[in-house]
Amino acid sequence: MEQTTQPTWGHKLGRALGWLAAWAWTVIAGGGGLGLLITRGPLPLTNGWFALFSGVSACPLTAWLIKKYAGITLSSWVRFAIAFLIIVVGRLVLKTEGRGEFLIDQS
């Protein structure tokens, strides 16, 4: 006889916070990247493209579409790692182009 375990309130809270963080990353990074593309234009490739793709990769809707149409299930940790890696690559490209620093200057 199979027993199913009910998720605890901590597990539910963690999933809800993860879902909220994914949508926040999507809106902030994706929206900011789109805003940069609109205001500064599509070239050079660092003008918002990396932020836009980072936001799209973190989006729960993207994960749902990939699961539905490609049959690939990506965990939230994998989506976060991909989104973070895209931002890091974008910062590295800015640094190598000489148009910015890798870390944001706080002064």
Side-chain angles (χ1 to χ4, degrees):
M1 183 177 228
E2 288 186 38
Q3 287 186 340
T4 58
T5 58
Q6 296 292 329
T8 63
W9 67 271
H11 184 71
K12 288 180 182 179
L13 179 64
R15 288 188 65 179
L17 289 175
W19 183 83
L20 186 65
W23 276 110
W25 188 296
T26 299
V27 169
I28 293 169
L34 183 62
L36 282 172
L37 289 173
I38 291 170
T39 57
R40 293 189 177 184
L43 294 175
L45 292 178
T46 52
N47 278 358
W49 287 107
F50 288 98
L52 178 67
F53 287 134
S54 175
V56 169
S57 68
C59 183
L61 180 61
T62 304
W64 178 78
L65 290 170
I66 290 172
K67 182 178 180 179
K68 182 174 180 174
Y69 293 109
I72 300 170
T73 302
L74 296 174
S75 73
S76 55
W77 287 108
V78 170
R79 291 190 337 254
F80 173 75
I82 292 169
F84 185 75
L85 183 64
I86 291 171
I87 289 292
V88 168
V89 169
R91 298 301 301 177
L92 283 171
V93 170
L94 274 175
K95 175 71 176 159
T96 57
E97 285 181 347
R99 296 190 311 129
E101 294 297 319
F102 179 70
L103 298 175
I104 298 171
D105 188 15
Q106 297 293 328
S107 58

